[in-house]
Amino acid sequence: MGSLALYRAIKSGWINFWRNFWLSAAATLVMVITLSILTLTLITFNVTNVAVKNIQERVDISVYFKGKVAEPQILNIKSHLEAMPEVASINYISADKALSDFRAKHAGNALIEESLAQLPDNPLPATLQIKAKSLDQYPAIATELAKPDYQTYVQKVNFEDNRTVIERLSRVLNTVKKLGVGMAIIFSFIAVLVIFNTIRLTIYNRREEVEIMKLVGATNWYIRWPFIVESILYGIAASIITILMTIPILNYLLPRLNLYLGTMLNDQTSAFSLSHIFLLQLGIALLLGIISSTIAIRRYLRV
Amino acid sequence: MIRFENVTKLYKDKKALEDINLEINHGEFVSLVGQSGAGKSTLLKLIFAEEKLDSGRILIDEVDIASLSETEIPYLRRKIGVVFQDIKLLPKKTAFENVGFAMEVAGYAREKIERDVPRILEIVGLKDKIMNFPAEMSGGEKQRVAIARALAHKPVLLIADEPTGNLDEINSYEILDLLHKINNLGTTVILATHARDLVNKIQKRVVTMETGRVAYDQAKGHYKL
Ligand SMILES: Nc1ncnc2c1ncn2[C@@H]1O[C@H](COP(=O)(O)OP(=O)(O)OP(=O)(O)O)[C@@H](O)[C@H]1O
Ligand SMILES: [Mg+2]
């Protein structure tokens, strides 16, 4: 296609777009609804996903040792535990390290510093922080630590079982995925139908013109392009409107979520970058538009 | 230039054309006459591929129309200018736009369209009606716009189907005169018409059709019947 033909196709498509304003508005609106559902699903899905990962990362088993247990003994237990297939990693924090961390954390707090100075010994225990390879392996590790062999050394095992929270979140995640994808498919279908009908009407309104164009020697694509351009314009209009609606929502939501989850969502996944969201919206809108117009053209534009 | 070989055309089961053999040469002026329903329009439509024939073949410059692909047909049509029996002007476009639109379709640039269209409209005698809509024009004026549109892309063949349809005698002669001028400039012209007086005045080749067949083909013809 030459640049002249391209220019004429765009011009003609532009005229089609504006010729029947309310119809074009309706076509754009359903597309906006479809894109909004899709965007909302995507954002919710990603937020939940990040939340789950976040909590998973925070889960661990902390083993606090009695004061008199010597470091080689602890390291011995550490390597014994590391041999377990369930264990992913173990972090050893010596009593001295725990104390210096504590001091660093409360530096400048005169009361705490004074109290610490008065104590004859280091009051803090040595600790092993154990991470399992997956969530459901924590109980196995906890069971191992509950064995009598460890009782002589271990002062306390701290295992906060977050599995129920995580499972609940995972269920939310699944529901969001199913519901969102389901709704998006339904609305995509509606959008295709509405745009298909709009293009069909444009073809009907322009049937005289199309017939004459054919008879004076227009190529098939010269006749088809304006209708495809029209559907592309619906897609562009809809994705611009949707992204303009997405911006304030993200601006409101992201800082609050970041605060709540203690993360930088924008850094963790590109799913929250506006340009990515816009490109995705535009891509889907164009795809739906082109599918609709192609079907309408095949059925109603006899060239 | 155009050769019909044993051409038959059916609409559903009804024969519109039967065993047509006809040859038209470059530069000729051919009048196609016959009663209403004789098959004149059908014969013309086969030439620019608006309708497909059922048997036989039509050669244009030795190329069989049936062998042309869907993408080649537009280029055949750009060699032919057609004045349709039902005129087919777009009501929402001015005379200028109706002609310019056909040139756009054929791929002409804006500047050329703006230069050529007023000239062509002047040639057909519509200098003052360039910006008028079809509803603001008389029947004869609309016919002239249709002729201008058919000529805009400089066709080698002009097909005029009943261009004097509802016109009075004077207007008809003027249109005929115009077609003659075009023919004298080298364009082959095929004119389908009912108008007896018109044909008798032309003194050129007349092909007479009767119920889908070529009944007479005379070099310097008269309207028989
Ligand atoms: N699209 C069509 N479908 C069915 N029959 C048709 C169609 N077009 C024409 N016919 C029939 O074919 C025959 C020839 O029609 P055609 O239009 O070629 O006649 P014509 O000689 O041009 O007549 P007129 O002088 O009235 O224009 C007629 O009997 C007509 O009824
Ligand atoms: Mg006719």
Side-chain angles (χ1 to χ4, degrees):
Chain A
M1 188 158 58
S3 60
L4 187 66
L6 180 71
Y7 164 76
R8 282 180 180 152
I10 292 173
K11 188 174 144 199
S12 184
W14 180 257
I15 291 169
N16 285 353
F17 181 83
W18 289 107
R19 186 171 311 207
N20 203 328
F21 178 79
W22 288 110
L23 215 66
S24 303
T28 308
L29 182 70
V30 254
M31 190 82 109
V32 166
I33 295 174
T34 309
L35 293 181
S36 302
I37 289 174
L38 208 88
T39 310
L40 219 64
T41 305
L42 201 83
I43 291 175
T44 318
F45 181 78
N46 277 295
V47 166
T48 327
N49 210 358
V50 169
V52 167
K53 265 198 204 130
N54 218 272
I55 296 173
Q56 275 174 351
E57 267 163 28
R58 281 194 234 169
V59 172
D60 64 7
I61 295 183
S62 296
V63 183
Y64 302 101
F65 287 90
K66 291 176 177 165
K68 59 183 182 295
V69 182
E71 186 158 280
Q73 184 60 50
I74 296 174
L75 292 177
N76 193 19
I77 291 173
K78 179 173 180 264
S79 53
H80 178 76
L81 287 171
E82 271 169 349
M84 286 180 70
E86 291 90 352
V87 172
S89 69
I90 301 181
N91 184 23
Y92 169 55
I93 302 164
S94 69
D96 292 344
K97 176 87 172 31
L99 186 63
S100 65
D101 283 353
F102 186 80
R103 281 216 164 99
K105 196 174 167 191
H106 297 282
N109 187 330
L111 189 68
I112 287 178
E113 273 169 22
E114 208 174 296
S115 323
L116 281 175
Q118 281 170 8
L119 287 171
D121 293 322
N122 179 357
L124 296 174
T127 318
L128 288 180
Q129 289 174 335
I130 305 168
K131 281 209 172 286
K133 283 179 184 142
S134 79
L135 274 184
D136 33 314
Q137 289 168 331
Y138 281 104
I141 300 170
T143 315
E144 169 74 15
L145 289 169
K147 280 184 186 165
D149 311 4
Y150 296 96
Q151 296 311 319
T152 31
Y153 315 107
V154 172
Q155 181 190 335
K156 188 182 163 210
V157 174
N158 193 352
F159 172 39
E160 203 182 318
D161 196 347
N162 278 321
R163 274 183 309 152
T164 47
V165 179
I166 291 165
E167 270 161 17
R168 206 173 300 148
L169 267 179
S170 300
R171 267 201 300 280
V172 171
L173 197 69
N174 251 318
T175 316
V176 165
K177 195 157 58 174
K178 278 190 198 134
L179 202 77
V181 169
M183 295 267 284
I185 288 174
I186 291 170
F187 272 87
S188 299
F189 191 70
I190 296 175
V192 166
L193 269 182
V194 172
I195 293 169
F196 165 82
N197 256 304
T198 312
I199 303 281
R200 189 178 70 155
L201 203 79
T202 315
I203 292 175
Y204 180 79
N205 285 336
R206 293 192 53 187
R207 65 197 182 285
E208 254 188 313
E209 213 171 320
V210 166
E211 189 204 346
I212 296 171
M213 279 161 90
K214 260 189 282 186
L215 290 175
V216 299
T219 58
N220 289 346
W221 281 108
Y222 186 90
I223 293 171
R224 286 180 189 137
W225 267 113
F227 300 103
I228 297 176
V229 167
E230 183 187 348
S231 72
I232 288 176
L233 290 176
Y234 294 131
I236 293 175
S239 36
I240 290 175
I241 293 172
T242 315
I243 198 71
L244 289 180
M245 285 170 18
T246 312
I247 291 170
I249 292 175
L250 271 189
N251 279 346
Y252 176 85
L253 219 58
L254 273 186
R256 284 167 180 75
L257 284 170
N258 281 339
L259 203 69
Y260 181 69
L261 293 170
T263 53
M264 289 305 293
L265 286 172
N266 339 33
D267 297 341
Q268 288 204 5
T269 155
S270 61
F272 298 105
S273 115
L274 277 176
S275 58
H276 272 81
I277 294 177
F278 181 67
L279 283 180
L280 185 84
Q281 288 172 347
L282 187 65
I284 287 176
L286 292 187
L287 188 75
L288 293 179
I290 290 172
I291 289 174
S292 324
S293 54
T294 309
I295 301 173
I297 286 168
R298 283 177 146 247
R299 290 200 52 182
Y300 298 103
L301 197 63
R302 294 263 154 266
V303 288
Chain B
M1 179 187 206
I2 307 171
R3 197 161 74 240
F4 281 68
E5 293 178 355
N6 312 314
V7 171
T8 298
K9 167 70 189 171
L10 305 171
Y11 287 117
K12 303 266 161 50
D13 289 331
K14 195 181 160 300
K15 270 200 178 118
L17 294 177
E18 196 173 357
D19 199 28
I20 303 279
N21 285 286
L22 194 65
E23 178 146 11
I24 294 170
N25 295 313
H26 273 286
E28 264 195 289
F29 190 114
V30 181
S31 302
L32 193 60
V33 300
Q35 286 187 340
S36 187
K40 304 180 294 292
S41 296
T42 304
L43 187 142
L44 298 178
K45 283 175 184 172
L46 292 177
I47 299 174
F48 55 93
E50 188 182 347
E51 296 286 353
K52 283 198 175 72
L53 47 70
D54 292 281
S55 68
R57 19 179 231 164
I58 299 173
L59 303 168
I60 293 188
D61 291 331
E62 300 305 318
V63 178
D64 187 348
I65 292 182
S67 75
L68 295 177
S69 72
E70 211 176 282
T71 49
E72 287 168 320
I73 286 176
Y75 298 95
L76 165 72
R77 288 176 177 162
R78 288 181 200 178
K79 289 197 283 182
I80 304 171
V82 184
V83 182
F84 303 97
Q85 186 166 7
D86 55 352
I87 308 185
K88 293 192 201 298
L89 293 181
L90 290 168
K92 286 184 187 153
K93 289 191 193 294
T94 61
F96 178 92
E97 288 165 343
N98 264 292
V99 178
F101 162 77
M103 289 181 79
E104 273 184 15
V105 164
Y108 287 97
R110 189 79 237 162
E111 304 78 61
K112 183 156 175 63
I113 294 173
E114 271 164 11
R115 190 155 22 88
D116 284 8
V117 174
R119 271 188 216 162
I120 301 166
L121 285 169
E122 193 180 338
I123 292 172
V124 299
L126 287 180
K127 203 178 165 189
D128 306 330
K129 306 277 175 174
I130 288 179
M131 288 306 159
N132 285 34
F133 290 92
E136 303 163 346
M137 287 186 262
S138 72
E141 284 163 349
K142 279 187 266 199
Q143 287 290 6
R144 287 162 196 267
V145 178
I147 293 172
R149 183 183 60 196
L151 292 175
H153 55 287
K154 300 195 172 53
V156 290
L157 169 65
L158 180 69
I159 291 176
D161 194 351
E162 214 76 63
T164 57
N166 321 312
L167 304 184
D168 61 32
E169 220 170 306
I170 295 179
N171 262 297
S172 300
Y173 282 129
E174 279 176 4
I175 298 272
L176 190 66
D177 211 41
L178 186 59
L179 294 179
H180 264 133
K181 275 189 206 150
I182 294 159
N183 180 240
N184 287 337
L185 294 171
T187 308
T188 311
V189 175
I190 307 177
L191 164 70
T193 183
H194 286 126
R196 180 188 302 261
D197 297 342
L198 212 62
V199 175
N200 291 343
K201 184 175 175 278
I202 297 172
Q203 297 287 317
K204 288 197 172 164
R205 183 175 171 194
V206 175
V207 174
T208 310
M209 296 191 67
E210 278 171 23
T211 57
R213 290 174 169 274
V214 174
Y216 309 97
D217 186 348
Q218 303 157 291
K220 268 200 174 177
H222 282 270
Y223 199 136
K224 304 221 166 198
L225 307 171

